[in-house]
Amino acid sequence: MDRRLVALATAHGVSTWYEDWRHRRVEVAPETVVGVLGLLGVDATSPAAIADALAAARAVDRTTLPPTVVVTEGKARALPGPGVVSLEDGGRRAVDGELPGDLPLGWHRLACDGRDVTLVVVPRRLPVPPRTWGWMLQLYALTSERSWGMGDLGDLAEFTEWAGATGAGLVLLNPLHAVGPAHPVAASPYSPASRRFVNPLYLRVSDTAAYASADPATRAVVDALRPDRGDLIDYDEVWTAKRRALELLHPYAQPVDLAADPALTSFATWCALAERHGNDWRAWPAELHHPDAPAVAEQRRELADRVAFHAWLQHLCDEQLDAVTAAARSAGMPVGVVHDLAVGIDPGGADGWQLADVLAQGVRVGAPPDDFNQLGQDWGLAAWRPDRLAETGYAAYRDMLRRTLRHAGGLRVDHVAGLWRLWWVPPGAGAAEGTYVRYDAEAMLGILALEAHRAGAVVVGEDLGTVQPAVTRGLRGRNMLGSTVLWFARDDDGAFTPPARWPRNALATISTHDLPTAPGFLTGEHVRVRDELKLLGTDVAVERARAAADRERLLAMLRDEELLPEAPDAGAVADGEPDDGDVVVAMHAALAASPARLLGVSLYDVLGEVRQPNMPGTVDEYPNWRLPLPASVAQIRTDPGVTRIVDLLTAARPRRTSPDRAGRRTSADPAGE
């Protein structure tokens, strides 16, 4: 690659090579680098353009203030001259050549060297997370006598209350991000239209004040709309029924003050336009492509009733999420509800429309080739532009975190390595033909720490797979947790690592939504279904042999740790092999024996479900995100297998509570580890 192109790419945080999963150096194609630079607004399409762009990059005075200054509490920072800090609370402080270390946490302004920039003071670290356990829950999979074809926020409140009363300290959810209102309704919670707003599919219609206020005849019509539970979740059927029911109830609702929340008004406008023109704004008439366009204002007036309706739905989501938070607190949960933050958004969705000025237009986020995905991964998601984030004071990133954390005791950040770098695939390229783009990790992680600190929330980073050591160090240094999964806890020979050697600074789980369930792993269901779907890269006999060997390795570790009975007559089947139910319990005992601060238990595992929630590499070939749990909320409470796991984990992680500085109840940690 031309050395000037390398220098230009380096100046803009674009990688010209990377280390693959085998720790081999891989050179990035020049055309990929040129394409990604173009997504950052840098013309590198000719030698002359490269020379001009490189000269402009070198002309930037590195001694001047950056567009956003992020400092850690307690640390001073040199300035190019005297200045004035306008504090978040309205106060002002003069500074002379240095930012002092005693500035308060928060979002401030700094006037210095002829510039006025955003100044963010972030915490050194979060409080140490408590040692507790809890449930991992795909909310849509719950069902009850009152829910409509899928789990809802009423189910979540009831489940959370029961979970807290029986010793659980947290409930970790799938993302509840908003999807488009037009059909077909997106099933994947990881390709949202917006990460700032909530999916109204999760509303419980009968828990709204409007339902209580409606006349009996209207309530009867609403009740009759309730769809039956099917073998698979039908999002389109549920949304058709709920939307019609909520439209009938909207006249009984108190109006929402749209002027109080411009972002909500803009989101509700997008929803109204999406109903008319489809869920992808890029296919709308050109005059509607910008939220501030005159044609958008005109249609907002024409669609005022629909804008008000969609704003009201978000108001209802806030109310019902508040009830869930209250249930967690009243049950004494030391963490409470942990929400999941998807790594990106559907570029054609609401955030892609509203936040276009801070997104790289045309990029697709994914991952480079690895042992499991040899062609790379293209997730089809939009990405932040790191330069535009800094130029706008990280306001969009902050507001997204703030809205998500409003109802959270914790936040799981999917693909947390994306705070350091993301794999960008330029338009027209295949998934393997991308490269990494670097972000300001100190700013991204620091702002996450600040907003989590203010919300009193723990942070869990999904750092599975090949991640840079800086990611693990960065999380640990701020008392944020990483992720440990039993399937991946192995040595170089493939043997399972004893739980005592698992990391402390982690959320430990048996599996994830993208991997086999515990019963599915033990029965080889993951081999059977992948063979049926033609997803195996090798002969099915080879995969079956590998799965059988993995099972034996697992049993060997469990026996070595004395977590599984040795005697063939103790919970064993006729051939001397242990009963799968006993093995599942032993796997949870392994979790309990680990030093990991948080333990996550999946209802799919405990209830004996062999099908995994999501099968990577498929769209319609497999019922991704549409599998209900095999038991209702009421049945879960009395299920003997559930009771057995609850008793095991509650004995291993008894809950002791003490008030923290914010007055919340948190798990005591006498050792201060």
Side-chain angles (χ1 to χ4, degrees):
M1 189 179 298
D2 182 88
R3 61 180 179 80
R4 292 175 301 172
L5 180 57
V6 171
L8 181 61
T10 301
H12 290 279
V14 178
S15 297
T16 57
W17 67 275
Y18 66 93
E19 189 177 89
D20 71 5
W21 83 99
R22 292 176 177 168
H23 306 292
R24 300 178 305 186
R25 179 179 173 120
V26 178
E27 301 292 338
V28 177
E31 54 268 26
T32 293
V33 174
V34 171
V36 170
L37 283 169
L39 296 171
L40 291 166
V42 179
D43 184 2
T45 55
S46 68
I50 292 172
D52 290 345
L54 187 57
R58 289 171 173 169
V60 175
D61 186 352
R62 303 300 176 186
T63 66
T64 62
L65 288 176
T68 299
V69 176
V70 179
V71 296
T72 302
E73 64 174 334
K75 292 185 178 181
R77 176 188 170 119
L79 295 174
V84 175
V85 175
S86 299
L87 298 172
E88 190 176 39
D89 63 5
R92 291 166 61 87
R93 288 185 59 176
V95 292
D96 189 7
E98 183 180 76
L99 286 173
D102 62 348
L103 289 173
L105 296 175
W107 294 82
H108 316 301
R109 301 293 301 179
L110 169 64
C112 178
D113 196 31
R115 303 185 66 191
D116 188 336
V117 302
T118 299
L119 168 64
V120 194
V121 181
V122 303
R124 291 169 53 231
R125 59 180 62 90
L126 297 176
V128 176
R131 285 172 52 81
T132 189
W133 71 277
W135 296 98
M136 298 190 301
L137 181 65
Q138 303 290 321
L139 178 53
Y140 57 80
L142 277 184
T143 185
S144 72
E145 292 299 318
R146 298 184 62 198
S147 53
W148 288 26
M150 62 179 282
D152 61 30
L153 293 171
D155 290 331
L156 178 59
E158 294 165 18
F159 179 87
T160 300
E161 183 179 21
W162 165 81
T166 52
L170 63 97
V171 175
L172 171 60
L173 300 174
N174 60 285
L176 303 186
H177 305 319
V179 298
H183 294 285
V185 176
S188 173
Y190 290 95
S191 299
S194 173
R195 292 185 290 180
R196 299 178 300 156
F197 297 96
V198 180
N199 189 344
L201 269 168
Y202 289 111
L203 286 171
R204 174 171 284 182
V205 174
S206 59
D207 280 357
T208 63
Y211 179 87
S213 301
D215 60 80
T218 300
R219 287 202 299 269
V221 174
V222 167
D223 293 342
L225 291 168
R226 180 181 184 269
D228 294 329
R229 172 187 170 180
D231 294 333
L232 296 176
I233 294 164
D234 187 333
Y235 291 97
D236 284 287
E237 180 185 37
V238 173
W239 179 229
T240 296
K242 286 194 176 182
R243 178 170 57 188
R244 180 56 186 148
L246 291 162
E247 287 169 345
L248 290 170
L249 296 173
H250 189 214
Y252 297 91
Q254 294 295 319
V256 176
D257 182 6
L258 294 176
D261 191 344
L264 173 59
T265 302
S266 184
F267 171 75
T269 300
W270 179 85
C271 290
L273 291 171
E275 288 181 320
R276 175 175 284 187
H277 301 288
N279 287 334
D280 190 339
W281 65 268
R282 296 168 298 181
W284 295 356
E287 63 269 20
L288 302 177
H289 282 191
H290 196 283
D292 296 329
V296 171
E298 177 61 30
Q299 292 216 8
R300 183 183 295 119
R301 288 188 290 270
E302 290 179 15
L303 299 169
D305 288 345
R306 300 308 295 171
V307 173
F309 174 72
H310 287 287
W312 176 60
L313 296 187
Q314 291 303 308
H315 177 71
L316 295 179
C317 289
D318 283 338
E319 287 185 337
Q320 295 192 7
L321 282 168
D322 283 342
V324 173
T325 302
R329 288 179 177 170
S330 65
M333 282 187 162
V335 175
V337 177
V338 180
H339 287 273
D340 199 350
L341 182 68
V343 66
I345 55 162
D346 176 354
D351 284 358
W353 185 66
Q354 291 179 265
L355 306 177
D357 62 324
V358 292
L359 297 172
Q361 297 301 316
V363 73
R364 306 187 316 280
V365 172
D370 60 28
D371 194 25
F372 298 100
N373 301 277
Q374 297 184 9
L375 298 179
Q377 297 180 66
D378 180 352
W379 302 329
L381 303 175
W384 300 115
R385 267 185 62 164
D387 56 334
R388 290 294 298 149
L389 278 179
E391 290 163 7
T392 55
Y394 290 88
Y397 176 59
R398 174 200 65 201
D399 293 346
M400 177 195 71
L401 292 173
R402 217 171 256 184
R403 286 184 182 271
T404 304
L405 286 164
R406 255 191 325 199
H407 306 289
L411 185 66
R412 176 190 178 271
V413 181
D414 190 42
H415 191 63
V416 73
L419 301 183
W420 280 259
R421 64 178 188 174
L422 272 176
W423 183 258
W424 284 24
V425 180
E433 300 169 317
T435 190
Y436 284 110
V437 173
R438 186 175 66 250
Y439 291 78
D440 185 340
E442 284 301 304
M444 300 290 281
L445 201 63
I447 291 168
L448 172 59
L450 174 60
E451 295 305 318
H453 170 83
R454 290 184 156 183
V458 303
V459 174
V460 177
E462 186 274 293
D463 59 346
L464 302 173
T466 304
V467 299
Q468 295 175 301
V471 176
T472 302
R473 290 196 304 268
L475 293 174
R476 185 172 59 240
R478 294 189 186 268
N479 282 338
M480 297 176 179
L481 302 183
S483 300
T484 294
V485 175
L486 173 63
W487 301 146
F488 298 147
R490 308 197 192 199
D491 62 21
D492 292 339
D493 296 324
F496 284 87
T497 305
R501 288 165 47 194
W502 295 2
R504 181 192 309 273
N505 194 61
L507 163 71
T509 65
I510 289 174
S511 187
T512 76
H513 54 255
D514 289 333
L515 294 171
T517 65
F521 172 83
L522 294 173
T523 60
E525 172 68 10
H526 58 304
V527 177
R528 187 202 66 78
V529 72
R530 285 189 299 146
D531 177 48
E532 182 180 287
L533 296 173
K534 311 301 182 188
L535 295 175
L536 294 178
T538 58
D539 184 82
V540 65
V542 173
E543 288 295 327
R544 286 176 182 149
R546 181 182 299 173
D550 276 346
R551 177 188 166 98
E552 289 307 312
R553 290 189 185 102
L554 174 65
L555 295 180
M557 183 273 284
L558 295 175
R559 289 192 179 105
D560 289 346
E561 296 299 304
E562 300 182 344
L563 300 173
L564 192 65
E566 283 281 2
D569 60 345
V573 294
D575 61 2
E577 281 291 299
D579 177 76
D580 282 355
D582 285 342
V583 178
V584 170
V585 173
M587 293 161 76
H588 287 91
L591 288 186
S594 79
R597 291 205 164 274
L598 300 184
L599 309 178
V601 181
S602 168
L603 280 167
Y604 287 103
D605 292 341
V606 180
L607 294 173
E609 175 60 72
V610 298
R611 299 172 298 175
Q612 64 194 68
N614 178 56
M615 184 67 66
T618 65
V619 179
D620 297 323
E621 305 92 331
Y622 185 84
N624 297 315
W625 317 114
R626 299 195 293 273
L627 296 174
L629 287 168
S632 67
V633 175
Q635 292 168 330
I636 289 167
R637 293 180 174 185
T638 58
D639 184 276
V642 172
T643 301
R644 190 177 179 187
I645 296 299
V646 167
D647 291 345
L648 185 159
L649 290 166
T650 302
R653 296 285 174 96
R655 200 161 74 208
R656 302 183 299 275
T657 58
S658 61
D660 69 1
R661 289 174 296 176
R664 295 176 57 190
R665 305 293 290 179
T666 60
S667 177
D669 195 330
E673 296 176 321

